[in-house]
């Protein structure tokens, strides 16, 4: 017997404003053709001026709770992944906690940029398995539009805003792969690669928020290798074969990276949840946004095996294998 973190609900929120590739071509020297061919992105959502990361997160959290048939009273942990917090401190998770009317339990942020949701999920799973939480909200929420250099065509066409959330609940399992819930998680980082993807500001360095800087080609190269490695490691840890995966729900940075990962696993395109085309890269929000979409439209069903993976600034990368 062992405690498992079972997914009992999920939800998401996208800001109303949609920015198309054609809109971007009016701001920087780019084209719909280039963006679609190199990334798969066609449009993305951008937060309204008065919408903060915590607002997006709160909407996603409420949707996830509703889907689970639970209320904030049932939750005792909130782990929120973001690289674009409302403020330097306190944690955006505490804003969400207050927004839900929760005065019990504990809430904190994790910072692993695009790998943030996988990090948050692993963290919440470990608190649940350790018996320190019974039910958790795991949220990925970002307003990347606020840290983009809108004059840099190599980055401003890629990133976007949004939020997604899961509700995890402690349930007793047998301890084998047939259990529902989080089966295994794997996290990695390597700080040597800071300069390939970072924000050139912060409270302790420049006292400004700064802008995202990325050497995309280099990041791409590392992503392909690191994601293949972590996927291999994940399946080996639970002695499962790629053929046992029902759904790949990857971080949505680039369709070409996602296609490559799916090909290596021998998964058909109909087994990959692909949202990069209409969401862009929403960093920590991309995996839960994709999950929520595929659950809402009936693709992901209870009992199925879902592989999540992500790679981002740090570098950070990781995975989570979940039986829904
Ligand atoms: O989520 C965190 C992890 N991030 C990622 O995984 C991102 C990984 N990287 C990528 O997705 C890709 O590398 C990009 C989409 C960022 C870039 O695609 P690429 O195929 O690697 O293109 P490139 O950077 O090699 O650029 C090719 C050309 C360059 O022109 P030259 O030097 O060949 O004349 C760029 O200046 O495309 C040019 N270019 C653009 N052209 C039109 C770069 N950005 C644009 C643009 N519109 N927006």
């Amino acid at each position: 017997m062992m405690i498992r973190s079972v997914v009992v609900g999920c939800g998401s929120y996208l800001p109303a404003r949609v920015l198309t590739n054609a809109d971007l071509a009016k701001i920087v020297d780019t084209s719909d053709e280039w963006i679609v061919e190199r990334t798969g992105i066609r449009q993305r959502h951008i937060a309204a001026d008065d919408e903060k990361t915590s607002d997006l997160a709160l909407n996603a959290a409420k949707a996830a709770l509703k889907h689970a048939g639970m209320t904030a009273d049932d939750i005792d942990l909130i782990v929120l992944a973001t690289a674009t917090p409302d403020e330097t401190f306190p944690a955006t998770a505490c804003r969400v906690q207050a927004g839900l009317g929760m005065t019990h339990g504990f809430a904190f942020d994790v910072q692993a940029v695009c790998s943030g949701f996988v990090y948050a999920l692993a963290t919440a799973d470990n608190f649940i398995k350790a018996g320190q939480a019974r039910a958790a909200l795991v949220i990925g929420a970002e307003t990347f539009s606020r840290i983009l250099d809108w004059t840099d065509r190599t980055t401003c066409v890629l990133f976007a805003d949004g939020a997604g959330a899961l509700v995890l609940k402690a349930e007793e399992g047998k301890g084998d792969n047939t259990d529902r819930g989080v089966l295994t998680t794997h996290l990695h980082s390597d700080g040597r690669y800071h300069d390939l993807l970072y924000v050139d500001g912060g409270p302790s360095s420049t006292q400004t928020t700064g802008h995202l800087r990325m050497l995309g080609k280099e990041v791409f190269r590392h992503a392909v290798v690191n994601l293949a490695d972590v996927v291999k490691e994940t399946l080996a840890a639970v002695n499962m074969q790629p053929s046992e995966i029902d759904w790949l729900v990857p971080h949505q940075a680039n369709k070409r990276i996602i296609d490559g990962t799916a090909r290596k696993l021998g998964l058909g395109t109909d087994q990959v949840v692909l949202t990069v085309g209409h969401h862009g890269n929403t960093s920590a929000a991309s995996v839960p946004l994709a999950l929520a979409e595929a659950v809402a439209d009936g693709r992901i069903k209870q009992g199925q095996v879902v592989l999540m993976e992500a790679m981002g600034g740090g570098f950070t990368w990781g995975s989570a294998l979940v039986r829904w």
Side-chain angles (χ1 to χ4, degrees), residues 5 25 28 44 65 74 88-89 105 127 134 149 226 245-246 252 261-262 273 317 319 321:
S5 310
V28 288
R44 71 284 289 140
L65 284 172
D74 304 316
T88 302
F89 80 76
F127 271 101
R134 296 289 303 166
D149 174 351
N226 291 343
I245 300 168
D246 293 295
Q252 310 280 327
T261 306
V273 180
W317 64 102
S319 68
L321 191 72

Side-chain angles (χ1 to χ4, degrees), residues 47-110:
D49 289 346
D50 62 351
E51 256 178 339
K52 296 186 292 293
T53 294
S54 65
D55 298 316
L56 311 191
L58 181 59
N59 282 320
K62 284 179 177 170
L65 284 172
K66 190 171 176 214
H67 184 236
M70 291 164 71
T71 69
D73 292 343
D74 304 316
I75 300 294
D76 47 20
L77 167 64
I78 300 173
V79 187
L80 187 149
T82 190
T84 46
D86 289 13
E87 299 158 329
T88 302
F89 80 76
T92 301
C94 295
R95 306 282 286 188
V96 173
Q97 182 194 24
L100 290 171
M102 263 174 80
T103 52
H104 65 280
F106 59 111
F108 60 93
D109 289 357
V110 301

Side-chain angles (χ1 to χ4, degrees), residues 28-31 34-35 38-39 113-114 152-155 157-159 197 214-221 223 251-254 256-257 281 283 311-313:
V28 288
D29 180 18
T30 190
S31 66
W34 191 95
I35 301 172
R38 302 292 180 124
T39 71
V113 206
C114 296
D152 175 12
R153 69 173 183 175
T154 69
T155 53
V157 305
L158 305 173
F159 296 93
L197 178 50
M214 177 167 78
L215 295 175
K217 221 182 185 57
E218 297 296 316
V219 178
F220 189 108
R221 270 221 303 270
H251 170 51
Q252 310 280 327
N254 189 314
R256 286 149 58 207
I257 298 176
N281 182 346
S283 180
M311 152 96 191

Side-chain angles (χ1 to χ4, degrees), residues 230-247:
V230 79
V231 162
K232 217 178 289 169
E233 175 189 341
T234 306
L235 292 172
V238 287
N239 197 23
M240 286 174 79
Q241 301 301 317
S243 58
E244 295 174 81
I245 300 168
D246 293 295
W247 294 103

